[in-house]
Amino acid sequence: MPYEPPTHSVERSLRATTGAKIIAGVDEVGRGAWAGPVTVCAAVTGLRRAPEGLTDSKLITPKRRTALAAELEKWVTAHALGHASPEEIDELGMTAALRLAAERALDGLPMRPDAVILDGKHDYLGDPWQVRTVIKGDQSCVAVAAASVIAKVRRDEIMARLEVEAEECLAYGFAANAGYPSPVHKAALAELGPTAYHRLSWAYLDALPRWRHLKKVRISAEAAALESGGQLGFDF
């Protein structure tokens, strides 16, 4: 299905209205997974023409996405990844964990951005960053699209390594599902329970009587609201 390539229109608008010169696109991956970290990439691209085929990572085949991520890492002015672990997600809730991962990514850049373009409608980053949120920014903004592809490929690699390097993860199919709910993942959870790499405050444990006692109680109100919003259900 054809799609419009991303542009620098938001970056140009920010430059014109705020005087920002260094602008980072930020996108996350792993928000809806049941295992593994949530990963954020911050990418600075300037106003150069983007590589051919750049768009939201979800619209690119895995093979092309992997090749494009390697190309982008050489093409961007700078990029950095930040992660929040399952333990941090359980302790802080997803919004605060996203903020932590994004701050780690932004702090990892060799320069401090004057402004940040954040994919989506919710500013989970906040002060002291100057943030512009853009719905579907991973399709429309070059810097956010670049961050989307790099974050997706590198987090997928983390999850695939877990399946190979951590014996307890072998049955869960992380190389194929990246920690998201899939039939293989659900079956392994029902039989074997969660691993040390699973998010233990999430609602999928409510549907697993053998393992429900392992569920962690999340204290933060925003985390409880996310869970009750139906994002984390276990649908067999």
Side-chain angles (χ1 to χ4, degrees), residues 10 13 33 64 73 96 162 174 201 223:
V10 179
S13 173
R64 173 57 184 149
E73 288 174 340
L162 279 180
F174 289 161
S201 59

Side-chain angles (χ1 to χ4, degrees), residues 188-206:
L189 274 169
E191 178 65 24
L192 303 172
T195 69
Y197 303 97
H198 279 86
R199 303 169 188 181
L200 298 181
S201 59
W202 284 41
Y204 69 83
L205 280 170
D206 292 336

Side-chain angles (χ1 to χ4, degrees), residues 71-175:
E71 183 179 354
L72 286 168
E73 288 174 340
K74 297 176 182 177
W75 174 81
V76 297
T77 303
H79 79 282
L81 292 168
H83 310 278
S85 69
E87 294 84 1
E88 289 170 327
I89 294 169
D90 287 335
E91 179 182 354
L92 301 172
M94 183 51 74
T95 298
L98 280 170
R99 184 182 305 118
L100 180 62
E103 288 172 345
R104 287 169 173 167
L106 290 164
D107 288 344
L109 292 171
M111 72 287 284
R112 182 177 176 86
D114 302 312
V116 173
I117 304 172
L118 196 61
D119 182 50
K121 64 180 180 180
H122 176 57
D123 177 10
Y124 58 75
L125 191 55
D127 294 334
W129 301 96
Q130 179 169 259
V131 176
R132 174 78 61 86
T133 58
V134 179
I135 296 173
K136 294 188 177 180
D138 49 8
Q139 294 183 37
S140 61
C141 301
V142 169
V144 179
S148 167
V149 172
I150 295 171
K152 171 63 175 168
V153 169
R154 299 309 169 212
R155 184 184 181 277
D156 282 358
E157 290 175 347
I158 290 171
M159 299 306 295
R161 283 198 301 272
L162 279 180
E163 184 171 322
V164 173
E165 297 173 1
E167 185 175 349
E168 64 179 302
C169 295
L170 182 61
Y172 297 82
F174 289 161

Side-chain angles (χ1 to χ4, degrees), residues 23-47:
I23 300 171
V26 170
D27 198 15
E28 55 77 23
V29 64
R31 186 196 301 244
W34 291 353
V38 63
T39 296
V40 172
C41 181
V44 178
T45 66
L47 299 179

